[in-house]
Amino acid sequence: MCLGVPGLVLEIHDDAGLRMATVDFGGIRREACLSCTPEADVGSYVIVHVGFAITLVDEAEALRTLEVLRAMAGAVEGELGEPLPSAGKQAVSGPDD
């Protein structure tokens, strides 16, 4: 199963001509390509699927979706390689972290 997982864009950088971002998925940070979402900026929430930010989403929807994904035991682990931290340990970081 493939999921689109919401995350917060922490920083944007260029990698061999591609616009890339460090994205925080509720405590897990991964790189994502922003070529499909040129309007994304630091502080934006995006849905990431197979390493590509495919759309923007508002913060409330992103946080609600992360909670639903936490309830789906292994779904996120299969996509991100590790489970999301529990809500009490959530470390959705701001762009200054």
Side-chain angles (χ1 to χ4, degrees), residues 14-85:
D14 181 79
D15 186 0
L18 289 175
R19 190 166 180 253
M20 299 293 291
T22 302
V23 180
D24 186 307
F25 301 96
I28 299 170
R29 293 181 180 183
R30 296 285 185 268
E31 295 296 303
C33 180
L34 298 178
S35 64
C36 297
T37 53
E39 67 277 21
D41 204 356
V42 172
S44 297
Y45 281 86
V46 293
I47 300 292
V48 177
H49 176 66
V50 294
F52 288 85
I54 58 174
T55 192
L56 273 76
V57 64
D58 66 58
E59 180 179 13
E61 181 66 17
L63 297 177
R64 186 183 70 76
T65 301
L66 284 170
E67 286 307 311
V68 169
L69 292 173
R70 279 187 183 89
M72 299 170 56
V76 174
E77 185 172 0
E79 188 68 20
L80 297 176
E82 59 185 287
L84 287 174

